Amino acid sequence: AGADRGRRLAERSTRDPERGAFVARLLKADDDQDPEPIEGALAGAAREVLRAPRLVSPGSTVGPYVALRRVGVGGMAEVWAVRHRVLGTVHALKLLLRASSGLWDRLLREGMAQARLRHPNVVPVRDVLDMDGVPALLMPLITGPTLEGLLRRVVLPADAKHGLFAGTLRGVAHVHAAGCIHRDLKADNVLLQPEQGVLVPRVADFGLVKGVDAGPMTVHGSVMGTLVYAAPEQLRDASTVDVRADIYSLGVLAVRVFTGHLPFPEGSIGEVVLAKRRPPDVTGLPEPLVGLVTSMLDEEPDRRPASVDEVLVRLMAVDRGFVLPAASLVPTLFLPESEPVASESTGTG
């Protein structure tokens, strides 16, 4: 029985060294006549392997969908373009790369949060698919680049910067109104969707989302988020942050969008924490925005704007162009010619 079980596990492990190593340990336990190879300490690990994410390749079927191509990959998940076999519609499917019940729970929490969001500046989740007991999220396929990708390749005019930033603010305001805190806002997690000749910024990747009305999902004292974008209190304890941590991240994003650089140097967590105790580098930031953005980047949450709506109101006082309906739309002519609308993604975690 042990050998049969080992062979079944090995069949699932041929393309994954970590699974293969576990199978080797399992078989050794059987060979050593361990009295409880499965029932004992290996039980949890065995269940993880048996429920590991199924590998996807072009032509694979996932429910009613056929996988077309991989369009994004991150540390925890990958995104595939998939087509509905009957309707012919194309979507994005986000699935985990590693087996972990904690990651499954987090992906489901991410899906439940995004499914509640319906806003032109947010990427929604439309369904959760079952891949052999492992969840996968179905979302619209975003066919434009990330905001970070655009900023690296194009020098945008002022009105385009205003539009991208204002659209992102509106998306985050909707997220907060729905009772969620993103906790990983950055230029890489703002996707640009071409629609009728314009680019619409859409907030994506809710892998670290915190629901203000949900049960605990983050271990007390844990650090989450992208270091240079994360608020100081988030670097101390991500479980206790509120919307003002997202406002801090939006302040970092504002500097990135309007100046082309980050307000703090990147580095180790210790180096970043020390850097955030010094005034941010806002060189090149338009003078009318300096007061607002530096307040968003204040080390003390109580001294930041209390809400994204407040940020939008203060922006309106600086430049009424921020609140025009078209302000969140950027003409696709700003896409680099060498990189057409093809860097598809929906956020990979």
Side-chain angles (χ1 to χ4, degrees), residues 73-256:
V73 62
M76 300 293 182
E78 62 181 0
V79 176
W80 281 76
V82 297
R83 177 183 288 117
H84 195 285
R85 287 183 288 174
V86 176
L87 300 176
T89 52
V90 178
H91 309 265
L93 187 69
K94 180 175 182 177
L95 53 129
L96 294 171
L97 290 171
R98 287 192 277 171
S100 164
S101 57
L103 291 178
W104 303 331
D105 291 343
R106 190 171 298 283
L107 189 69
L108 284 175
R109 181 69 63 91
E110 174 183 353
M112 287 187 289
Q114 276 181 268
R116 297 162 55 189
L117 305 173
R118 288 292 182 270
H119 190 277
N121 297 119
V122 177
V123 177
V125 164
R126 292 175 173 164
D127 201 0
V128 177
L129 303 183
D130 187 327
M131 296 182 62
D132 301 331
V134 179
L137 303 183
L138 189 75
M139 296 174 280
L141 183 65
I142 306 300
T143 54
T146 65
L147 177 54
E148 179 63 33
L150 187 69
L151 293 172
R152 287 180 181 274
R153 294 168 176 81
V154 177
V155 178
L156 296 170
D159 58 346
K161 296 175 182 178
H162 290 184
L164 291 168
F165 186 58
T168 303
L169 287 176
R170 290 192 183 93
V172 177
H174 179 74
V175 171
H176 290 174
C180 298
I181 305 164
H182 191 284
R183 296 197 297 186
D184 198 17
L185 293 169
K186 56 183 176 180
D188 275 318
N189 285 342
V190 177
L191 310 184
L192 304 179
Q193 176 62 38
E195 292 182 3
Q196 299 179 344
V198 296
L199 291 175
V200 180
R202 308 189 78 176
V203 179
D205 204 338
F206 287 72
L208 300 184
V209 68
K210 175 187 176 186
V212 296
D213 57 353
M217 187 67 189
T218 306
V219 176
H220 181 74
S222 62
V223 175
M224 285 184 166
T226 303
L227 294 180
V228 73
Y229 278 88
E233 68 271 19
Q234 186 169 332
L235 294 177
R236 291 191 294 269
D237 185 354
S239 69
T240 61
V241 300
D242 58 26
V243 297
R244 294 170 298 180
D246 279 353
I247 290 171
Y248 185 98
S249 299
L250 289 169
V252 177
L253 181 65
V255 177
R256 178 73 182 97

Side-chain angles (χ1 to χ4, degrees), residues 24-35:
R25 291 196 300 273
L26 179 64
L27 292 175
K28 184 177 186 303
D30 260 3
D31 290 342
D32 293 344
Q33 295 183 339
D34 189 316

